[in-house]
Amino acid sequence: MSKLKKALEKAKEARQQESAPTVTVTISENNSDSTAQQQLKQPESSQSSVQTRVSPCDPQRLHNNKIIFDCQARKAGDQVKILRTRILDHFKEIRGNSLLLTSPTAGTGTTLTAINLALSMAQEINRTVLLVDADLRHPSIHRYFGLSAERGLSDYLLGKADLPELLINPGFDNLTILPGGKPLTNSTELLGAPQMKSLVREMKTRYADRYLIFDSSPLLTCADALVFSSFIDSIMLVVEMEKSSRGEIKQAMELLQDKPVLGSIMNKVIN
């Protein structure tokens, strides 16, 4: 190849390179922030699409645990309906929707009362119920239903989980459960923290047709129910016939002084 021909070919290649389109990558702070925001929003959108987990329960297990979900326990069911009616009337008067159940000491049947009351309220037309296990020292609502609930309210308050992924529907229309999660020894501080107050406010106001039922620790064993009661519309004290002493009930009521106490429930009455 002649020197002249080689020179012409090099000149042609140089012109082709100059005319070729270029790709410029510009990274600005604004663009970087925008991308980061989009990346953060993706989990949010995926959270919003999280469906409440449905875990239908074994009817025989519910019967064994004295959960009233059908007409077989008619007498006990009627008693729960009377209680439900009085509470709903009270809610209408005060325009409230949240109830905390507690007791002087452990073993009075507070958790079972909360469960049966929540189930009964869920039968109301156009109403939904969120049953919250706020007994973070001994969470047990999930065990009554036979549910597997490794995580719950305690995990949310510790920042380890988001609320939508913790909720469980036990197979009943209009009823959702927020389990307690892993037991905590420092639950008083968490239940009295601003994060819990914000959560309760959110749960109370997000759905106008929702009732909230909270099961809590006994009053005379820890301060959980006391710090928590400040966020709730009404409180019911569950006492056990022939077990809860007059002194225990008096002491519990003194602790609830100036709190919105609706009344007390005498449980395990022997006819």
Side-chain angles (χ1 to χ4, degrees), residues 100 216 219 222-230 252 255-257 259:
L100 169 65
S216 186
L219 286 164
C222 64
D224 286 18
L226 285 178
V227 298
F228 183 50
S229 62
S230 301
L255 290 173
L256 292 173
Q257 192 175 12
K259 302 288 185 182

Side-chain angles (χ1 to χ4, degrees), residues 121-266:
M121 285 184 169
Q123 294 172 0
E124 285 281 303
I125 299 174
N126 298 327
R127 286 287 187 175
T128 61
V129 178
L130 177 58
L131 176 61
V132 183
D133 194 342
D135 186 353
L136 299 187
R137 293 171 189 257
H138 304 285
S140 61
I141 285 179
H142 65 285
R143 288 203 296 269
Y144 279 85
F145 286 93
L147 299 173
S148 174
E150 293 80 10
R151 301 190 302 167
L153 177 59
S154 61
D155 298 274
Y156 173 82
L157 295 176
L158 290 171
K160 297 181 178 179
D162 294 314
L163 189 62
E165 58 191 273
L166 301 175
L167 301 176
I168 303 174
N169 174 277
F172 295 97
D173 292 340
N174 303 330
L175 178 63
T176 304
I177 296 174
L178 174 57
K182 295 178 181 177
L184 297 176
T185 56
N186 62 336
S187 52
T188 304
E189 288 76 11
L190 285 175
L191 289 171
Q195 187 178 5
M196 183 63 184
K197 184 177 182 179
S198 298
L199 175 63
V200 174
R201 185 189 300 118
E202 164 72 11
M203 291 190 294
K204 288 174 64 176
T205 57
R206 175 174 285 270
Y207 302 106
D209 63 344
R210 173 189 279 177
Y211 295 122
L212 305 173
I213 304 296
F214 295 87
D215 177 34
S216 186
S217 305
L219 286 164
L220 303 184
T221 59
C222 64
D224 286 18
L226 285 178
V227 298
F228 183 50
S229 62
S230 301
F231 312 144
I232 308 299
D233 296 322
S234 302
I235 302 170
M236 291 289 287
L237 187 68
V238 181
V239 301
E240 181 179 351
M241 186 176 184
E242 298 184 352
K243 180 180 178 182
S244 301
S245 69
R246 187 184 299 271
E248 291 171 343
I249 297 172
K250 181 181 178 182
Q251 190 177 354
M253 292 303 293
E254 288 175 351
L255 290 173
L256 292 173
Q257 192 175 12
D258 300 327
K259 302 288 185 182
V261 179
L262 174 58
S264 60
I265 300 170
M266 180 66 76

